């Protein structure tokens, strides 16, 4: 028999080229298809979408926190890291050697600033002048806003944030970048907020479409003061970003069609942790208590008993948190009711705030008119030291910083019980902010509302009836543009800071975002027209009225 020869198949027109074996082709194709299918499954699953949104926001936060080159340094006010180091050594006041190390690190930056000043004014700087400059420099950075008692530096903030940072400091030392840490917590907040929106929708409390949920999550990430606060580091912003994480967990755990006492207990534990982050958060508690009432059903007596049981479960860890805060105050300042504000004003606090504090205290109606201006209707823009257009450091209206908050005035439209619960938490907290002795010192927007943002944005979701409309889309785009401007100015990024360059960049962003919306609308219209023109299409208008 003649010997059979094996002929390889060749591609038409390709000399000497052969196809790989059929088995290998199928395996490679199958592998690519499997990977593509896995990515699509992750992107379309609720948990996967939350992770992707958090990761995307975290990437931007890290980019900004690293000064647009992922180079992470410590902020000028790494107080929480110093307190975490103190906790690791069994004390509540800062170790002097660590404070001295921060000051020594800052001296290089101070010398550079002093040299630039001398060159600008064409003067020579003596050693005495240098020491005086360094003293003022440290007073505005590493020595600012401590409660000093008997020469020891204490923080007046709650113990939550430094306690959470103790493992980080134990692993990487007190020189770790607080800006990096804040960016990661900020990314976690974005993911948790999407989970909260999804949970509120599935529980029937706040019905929203998926585009609306994504848009509101993007709004929190880039269209509110959460954006720059998650990138700047510094103790005041770090405390609020970390506190918001605990508060979001509490909101997620409490958001269910019907609450069990175990869920109420866990929600209370998370809320108690938030109170240990910032004590004023306790004013949001009426939101949870009101929501618990709406989550009960049945006869009045049984309903009341169930509500009291859930409230007791929620209150138990909160009371424990208050006792921990009292013990922490006692250990630092000798009284469970003294958080260190008096020592702060007497020693290392902002001098311009001291007269009002001694005359009116922490909360007083005297502050109402001034604070209301900076929270609600201050539209004034200022010029910075370089003559560039900038924000009012005392605070601009929340409605200009985040325009979609205008939908708060329409939150009543769906007559949803959740809106009543949200209002029960928003009103007391906002009243406390309006009566407080300051709006937050130098800032972009109003950073004190960070913990209130989840409740405010849920009310915005009620105001837009759970849908992403053209008007709400435009307002969200404007909010992102405003906060890009504020973040660029406040964080002093390496991006070109001239008014012309910044205006061109923001204008291009707004134009592209609106163009993308228009393209999507046109494409949707074309697809709908083609579907209606196709065979077998039956208009909804021909359906019976009962449908």
């Amino acid at each position: 028999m003649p010997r059979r020869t094996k002929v390889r198949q060749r591609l038409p027109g390709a000399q000497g080229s052969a196809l790989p074996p059929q088995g290998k082709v199928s395996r490679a194709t199958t592998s690519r298809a499997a990977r593509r299918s896995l990515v699509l499954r992750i992107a379309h699953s609720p948990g996967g979408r939350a992770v992707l949104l958090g990761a995307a926001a975290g990437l931007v936060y890290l980019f900004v926190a690293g000064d647009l080159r992922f180079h992470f340094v410590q902020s000028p006010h790494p107080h929480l890291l110093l307190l975490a180091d103190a906790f690791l050594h069994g004390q509540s006041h800062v170790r002097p050697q660590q404070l001295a190390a921060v000051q020594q690190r800052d001296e290089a930056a101070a010398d550079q600033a002093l040299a630039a000043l001398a060159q600008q004014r064409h003067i020579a700087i003596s050693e005495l002048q240098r020491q005086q400059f360094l003293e003022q420099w440290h007073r505005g950075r590493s020595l600012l806003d401590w409660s000093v008692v008997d020469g020891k530096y204490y923080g007046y903030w709650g113990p939550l944030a430094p306690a959470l940072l103790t493992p980080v400091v134990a692993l990487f030392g007190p020189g770790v970048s607080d800006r990096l840490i804040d960016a990661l917590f900020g990314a976690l907040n974005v993911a948790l907020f999407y989970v909260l929106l999804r949970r509120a929708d599935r529980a029937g409390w706040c019905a929203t479409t998926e585009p609306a949920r994504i848009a509101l999550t993007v709004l929190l990430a880039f269209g509110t003061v959460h954006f720059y606060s998650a990138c700047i580091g510094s103790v005041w912003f770090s405390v609020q970003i970390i506190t918001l994480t605990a508060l979001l967990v509490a909101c997620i755990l409490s958001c269910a069609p019907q609450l069990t006492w175990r869920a109420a207990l866990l929600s209370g534990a998370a809320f108690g942790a938030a109170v240990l982050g910032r004590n004023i958060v306790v004013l949001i508690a009426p939101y949870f208590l009101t929501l618990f009432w709406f989550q009960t059903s049945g006869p009045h007596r049984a309903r009341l008993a169930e509500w009291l049981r859930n409230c007791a479960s929620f209150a138990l860890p909160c009371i424990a948190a208050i006792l921990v805060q009292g013990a922490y105050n006692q250990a630092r300042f000798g009284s469970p009711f003294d958080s260190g504000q008096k020592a702060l004003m007497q020693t290392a606090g902002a001098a311009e705030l001291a007269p009002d504090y001694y005359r009116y205290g922490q909360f007083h109606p005297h502050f109402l008119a001034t604070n209301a201006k900076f929270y609600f209707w201050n539209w004034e823009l200022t010029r910075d030291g370089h003559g560039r257009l900038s924000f009012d450091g005392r605070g601009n209206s929340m409605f200009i910083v985040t325009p979609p908050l205008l939908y708060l005035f329409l939150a009543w439209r769906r007559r949803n019980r959740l809106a009543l619960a949200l209002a029960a938490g928003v009103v007391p907290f906002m009243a406390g902010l309006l009566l407080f002795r300051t709006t937050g010192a130098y800032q972009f927007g109003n950073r004190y509302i960070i913990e209130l943002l989840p409740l405010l944005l849920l009310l915005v979701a009620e105001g837009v009836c759970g849908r992403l409309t053209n008007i709400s889309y435009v307002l969200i785009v404007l909010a992102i543009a405003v906060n890009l401007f504020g973040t660029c100015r406040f964080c002093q990024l390496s991006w070109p800071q001239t008014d012309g360059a910044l205006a061109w960049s923001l204008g291009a962003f707004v134009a592209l975002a609106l163009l993308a919306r228009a393209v999507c609308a046109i494409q949707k219209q074309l697809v709908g027209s083609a579907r209606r023109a196709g065979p077998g299409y039956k208009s909804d208008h021909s359906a019976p009225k009962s449908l």
Side-chain angles (χ1 to χ4, degrees), residues 471-487:
I471 295 177
S472 60
Y473 179 86
V474 170
L475 292 179
I476 289 173
V477 170
L478 292 177
I480 295 174
V482 170
N483 282 271
L484 281 171
F485 167 79
T487 300

Side-chain angles (χ1 to χ4, degrees), residues 483-506:
N483 282 271
L484 281 171
F485 167 79
T487 300
C488 195
R489 284 284 191 260
F490 192 88
C491 298
Q492 299 180 357
L493 299 179
S494 298
W495 188 264
Q497 292 281 333
T498 61
D499 284 343
L502 200 55
W504 182 89
S505 303
L506 296 178

Side-chain angles (χ1 to χ4, degrees), residues 23-87:
K24 294 184 178 181
V25 173
S26 61
R27 283 196 297 270
T29 305
T30 304
S31 178
R32 285 195 298 269
R35 287 196 298 267
R36 190 180 301 113
S37 176
L38 177 61
V39 171
L40 290 176
R41 283 201 303 270
I42 292 175
H44 285 86
S45 66
R49 191 163 290 173
V51 171
L52 290 177
L53 287 169
L59 184 63
V60 176
Y61 291 164
L62 291 171
F63 186 56
V64 174
D67 195 20
L68 310 185
R69 57 182 187 273
F70 296 103
H71 177 64
F72 303 104
V73 297
Q74 262 191 3
S75 73
H77 311 97
H79 297 28
L80 289 183
L81 298 174
L82 296 177
L83 289 173
D85 173 77
F87 283 11

Side-chain angles (χ1 to χ4, degrees), residues 408-424:
L408 293 175
F409 299 106
L410 298 177
W412 54 269
R413 292 201 293 181
R414 290 201 291 190
R415 276 102 173 148
N416 196 334
R417 291 181 299 174
L418 179 65
L420 294 177
L422 293 168

Side-chain angles (χ1 to χ4, degrees), residues 250 253 263-274 288 292 313-318 321:
L253 292 171
L265 183 71
L266 293 175
S267 179
F271 185 73
F288 293 93
F292 292 169
S313 300
F314 179 82
L316 187 62
C318 294

Side-chain angles (χ1 to χ4, degrees), residues 237-286:
F237 306 97
S238 301
V239 166
Q240 292 197 259
I241 293 296
I242 294 174
T243 300
L244 179 60
T245 305
L247 187 59
L248 281 167
V249 173
C251 292
I252 291 170
L253 292 171
S254 67
C255 197
Q258 286 197 336
L259 194 72
T260 64
W261 69 267
R262 293 181 181 84
L265 183 71
L266 293 175
S267 179
F271 185 73
V275 172
L276 289 175
R278 285 232 305 155
N279 297 159
I280 195 173
V281 169
V282 73
L283 297 177
I284 299 180

Side-chain angles (χ1 to χ4, degrees), residues 226-241:
H226 183 274
F227 185 6
Y228 85 95
S229 299
C231 305
I232 194 64
S234 293
V235 55
W236 311 280
F237 306 97
S238 301
V239 166
Q240 292 197 259
I241 293 296

